[in-house]
C-alpha cells in the first residue's frame, strides 16, 4: 500500500497536498473489489457502505437474519488497515460495556478509566436493536460528537470514527425499535436483500470449508483513508445543489403522508454523502444526480409516516417511506445540469 498523496495543487488542513480525485476513485474501486470477493452481487450495498465511510458518517444495515449484514460490515472493516472492534448487542448489555468503565486501581489508589470497544476507527454494532434503549443511547454522544464522557471526563475518539450497525426488522422476536434520535445519527440505512441464485450457488461452493473473511487483507492504509476523507471534504458543492438538497428536506416536512420529516442534520449529511459519491465517480464537484442517488438511503430511515398513510403497510413501513421519498425527488425541480429534467 502506497503512502503517497497525489498532488492536486491545494494544501489540506495539515499543510500536505490533498489527494487527487482520480486516486480517490482508484482506491475506492479497490476497496469495493476487495469487499466483493466476500459479498457477491451486492454492488449497490457495498458502494453505499463505502460512501458513508468516506463521508465520515455512520451506517445502519437492516434486513432479515442470514443475508450477510455482519459479513458486509466485517469485509469493509478488514479492507481498511484501521482499528476495528465488534460489539454484540444483547438485552443484558450495559452502557459501560460499550463506552468503558472506571475501575479502582489498588496500587495507585485511584480510579482509572478502562476504554470500551467503542474506542476504534470502525465499530461494528451487531444486532444493535437487541439491546435495550438505555444501552442504545450510550452511542448517541459517540456518534454525534466523536467523544465519550465518563465521570466528568471527556475522552476523544480517534479519527476517522464510523459505526456500522446491523439490525433485524422490528417484527423479529427480542428486538427494540431504535428511537428517532438514534436513527437520525445514522447517515444512511441500506438493506442487503436475498442473493441471486447464481451468487447463492457460488457461496455454497466456496464456503464449505472456510470463511472468505479469513483471507481478506487491507487494500488501503489508515493514512490513505484519512487522505481520501480529506479529499472528499474539498469536493465543491454549488449553491443551486445545496438549495436543491434543502428543497428535498423541506418537502419531507410538508408532505401530508409524513408526520416527521427530515432534520437539518439529514440535509447536512445528504450533502456530505453526495460529495463522497461524486469523488468515488471521479468528480471534484457535486451534481444533483449525486443527491438523487442518495436521497432514499439518507432520508428514508429518518421519516415517520402518518397513521392514515400506513394503512396496510403497518407491519412494514419501509417500502412505503421509500416510495414517498422517490415521489418527492421526482416532484422537486432540479437545478440545471442534472441528467433528470422535469
Amino acid at each position: 500500500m502506497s503512502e503517497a498523496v497525489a498532488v492536486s495543487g491545494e494544501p489540506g488542513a495539515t499543510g500536505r497536498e490533498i489527494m487527487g480525485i482520480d486516486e480517490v476513485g482508484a482506491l475506492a474501486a479497490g476497496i469495493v473489489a476487495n469487499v466483493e470477493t466476500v459479498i457477491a452481487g451486492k454492488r449497490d450495498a457495498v458502494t453505499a457502505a463505502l460512501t458513508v465511510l468516506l463521508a465520515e458518517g455512520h451506517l445502519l444495515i437492516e434486513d432479515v437474519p442470514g443475508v450477510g449484514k455482519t459479513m458486509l460490515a466485517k469485509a469493509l472493516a478488514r479492507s481498511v488497515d484501521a482499528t476495528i472492534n465488534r460489539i454484540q448487542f444483547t438485552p443484558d448489555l450495559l452502557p459501560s460495556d460499550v463506552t468503558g468503565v472506571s475501575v479502582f486501581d489498588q496500587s495507585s489508589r485511584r480510579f482509572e478509566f478502562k476504554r470500551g470497544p467503542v474506542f476504534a476507527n470502525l465499530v461494528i454494532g451487531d444486532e444493535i436493536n437487541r439491546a435495550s434503549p438505555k444501552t442504545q443511547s450510550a452511542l448517541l454522544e459517540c456518534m454525534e460528537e466523536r467523544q465519550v464522557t465518563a465521570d466528568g471526563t471527556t475522552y476523544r475518539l480517534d479519527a476517522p470514527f464510523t459505526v456500522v450497525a446491523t439490525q433485524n426488522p422490528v417484527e423479529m422476536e427480542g428486538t427494540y425499535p431504535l428511537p428517532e434520535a438514534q436513527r437520525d445519527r445514522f447517515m444512511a440505512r441500506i438493506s442487503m436483500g436475498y442473493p441471486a441464485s447464481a451468487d447463492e450457488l457460488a457461496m455454497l461452493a466456496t464456503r464449505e470449508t472456510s470463511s472468505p473473511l479469513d483471507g481478506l487483507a487491507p487494500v488501503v492504509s489508515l493514512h490513505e483513508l484519512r487522505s481520501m476523507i480529506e479529499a472528499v471534504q474539498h469536493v465543491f458543492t454549488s449553491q443551486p445543489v445545496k438549495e436543491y438538497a434543502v428543497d428535498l428536506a423541506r418537502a419531507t416536512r410538508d408532505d401530508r403522508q409524513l408526520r416527521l420529516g427530515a432534520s437539518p442534520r439529514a440535509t447536512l449529511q445528504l450533502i456530505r454523502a453526495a460529495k463522497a459519491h461524486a469523488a468515488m465517480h471521479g468528480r471534484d464537484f457535486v451534481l444533483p444526480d449525486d443527491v438523487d442517488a442518495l436521497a432514499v438511503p439518507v432520508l428514508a430511515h429518518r421519516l415517520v409516516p402518518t397513521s392514515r398513510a400506513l394503512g396496510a403497510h403497518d407491519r412494514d413501513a419501509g417500502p412505503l417511506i421509500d416510495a414517498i421519498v422517490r415521489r418527492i425527488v421526482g416532484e422537486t425541480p432540479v437545478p440545471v445540469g442534472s441528467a433528470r429534467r422535469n
Side-chain angles (χ1 to χ4, degrees), residues 171-202:
E171 291 78 15
M172 296 286 177
E173 291 186 10
T175 59
Y176 302 83
L178 294 180
E180 288 82 357
Q182 181 141 5
R183 292 205 309 268
D184 195 47
R185 281 167 168 76
F186 284 100
M187 176 174 282
R189 180 189 65 182
I190 62 173
S191 297
M192 298 293 294
Y194 290 108
S197 298
D199 296 324
E200 196 163 2
L201 283 171

Side-chain angles (χ1 to χ4, degrees), residues 21-22 24-25 28 47 51 54 231-232 235-237 270-291 293-294:
I21 289 298
D22 290 341
V24 173
T47 303
T51 300
L54 295 181
V232 165
V235 170
F236 175 72
T237 309
L270 181 58
I271 289 296
R272 287 178 176 171
K275 293 168 73 170
H277 188 268
M280 291 172 61
H281 288 79
R283 283 181 281 104
D284 59 0
F285 57 92
V286 177
L287 292 175
D289 306 281
D290 296 313
V291 178
L294 294 161

Side-chain angles (χ1 to χ4, degrees), residues 143-223:
M143 295 172 68
E144 180 64 18
E145 301 175 46
R146 267 67 174 180
Q147 66 182 31
V148 170
T149 302
D151 298 330
T153 303
T154 298
Y155 304 89
R156 298 294 302 177
L157 298 171
D158 292 337
F161 172 71
T162 292
V163 174
V164 180
T166 70
Q167 74 167 358
N168 298 322
V170 174
E171 291 78 15
M172 296 286 177
E173 291 186 10
T175 59
Y176 302 83
L178 294 180
E180 288 82 357
Q182 181 141 5
R183 292 205 309 268
D184 195 47
R185 281 167 168 76
F186 284 100
M187 176 174 282
R189 180 189 65 182
I190 62 173
S191 297
M192 298 293 294
Y194 290 108
S197 298
D199 296 324
E200 196 163 2
L201 283 171
M203 178 189 70
L204 295 177
T206 58
R207 302 188 187 181
E208 290 185 0
T209 58
S210 63
S211 169
L213 283 172
D214 295 339
L216 203 64
V219 295
V220 172
S221 69
L222 182 58
H223 171 78

Side-chain angles (χ1 to χ4, degrees), residues 60 88 205 216 241 267 298:
L60 181 63
Q88 177 63 56
L216 203 64
V241 171
T267 312
V298 173

Side-chain angles (χ1 to χ4, degrees), residues 50-335:
L50 180 56
T51 300
V52 171
L53 177 61
L54 295 181
E56 292 189 285
H58 308 291
L59 178 67
L60 181 63
I61 309 174
E62 181 184 73
D63 218 319
V64 296
V67 294
K69 301 186 300 296
T70 306
M71 187 75 75
L72 172 59
K74 287 182 176 180
L76 178 64
R78 292 194 183 188
S79 297
V80 179
D81 190 15
T83 56
I84 306 163
N85 281 332
R86 177 180 177 273
I87 307 171
Q88 177 63 56
F89 283 82
T90 57
D92 60 347
L93 196 73
L94 298 175
S96 58
D97 295 327
V98 175
T99 58
V101 63
S102 294
V103 178
F104 186 74
D105 188 340
Q106 292 285 356
S107 59
S108 62
R109 308 296 296 176
R110 61 182 181 182
F111 283 94
E112 292 186 0
F113 181 69
K114 302 296 183 182
R115 298 189 173 197
V118 78
F119 285 87
N121 296 125
L122 281 86
V123 177
I124 301 173
D126 204 9
E127 296 186 305
I128 188 173
N129 61 335
R130 288 203 180 279
S132 66
K134 178 180 180 179
T135 301
Q136 292 175 11
S137 64
L139 286 171
L140 293 179
E141 181 185 15
C142 308
M143 295 172 68
E144 180 64 18
E145 301 175 46
R146 267 67 174 180
Q147 66 182 31
V148 170
T149 302
D151 298 330
T153 303
T154 298
Y155 304 89
R156 298 294 302 177
L157 298 171
D158 292 337
F161 172 71
T162 292
V163 174
V164 180
T166 70
Q167 74 167 358
N168 298 322
V170 174
E171 291 78 15
M172 296 286 177
E173 291 186 10
T175 59
Y176 302 83
L178 294 180
E180 288 82 357
Q182 181 141 5
R183 292 205 309 268
D184 195 47
R185 281 167 168 76
F186 284 100
M187 176 174 282
R189 180 189 65 182
I190 62 173
S191 297
M192 298 293 294
Y194 290 108
S197 298
D199 296 324
E200 196 163 2
L201 283 171
M203 178 189 70
L204 295 177
T206 58
R207 302 188 187 181
E208 290 185 0
T209 58
S210 63
S211 169
L213 283 172
D214 295 339
L216 203 64
V219 295
V220 172
S221 69
L222 182 58
H223 171 78
E224 287 172 324
L225 177 61
R226 287 170 175 162
S227 297
M228 292 171 73
I229 291 172
E230 184 180 15
V232 165
Q233 293 171 347
H234 286 79
V235 170
F236 175 72
T237 309
S238 66
Q239 187 65 23
V241 171
K242 294 178 181 178
E243 292 173 355
Y244 176 56
V246 170
D247 289 343
L248 289 177
R250 293 185 65 85
T252 66
R253 301 165 196 164
D254 299 332
D255 196 272
R256 289 186 296 178
Q257 288 188 291
L258 299 172
R259 64 180 178 87
L260 179 64
S263 66
R265 182 191 286 121
T267 312
L268 177 62
Q269 294 191 346
L270 181 58
I271 289 296
R272 287 178 176 171
K275 293 168 73 170
H277 188 268
M280 291 172 61
H281 288 79
R283 283 181 281 104
D284 59 0
F285 57 92
V286 177
L287 292 175
D289 306 281
D290 296 313
V291 178
D292 288 350
L294 294 161
V296 171
V298 173
L299 298 180
H301 64 288
R302 310 167 190 270
L303 310 179
V304 178
T306 63
S307 56
R308 176 175 296 182
L310 274 174
H313 298 270
D314 56 350
R315 286 190 59 82
D316 186 8
L320 170 66
I321 299 177
D322 290 354
I324 293 173
V325 174
R326 285 191 289 267
R327 171 177 57 77
I328 290 174
V329 170
E331 294 174 349
T332 304
V334 295

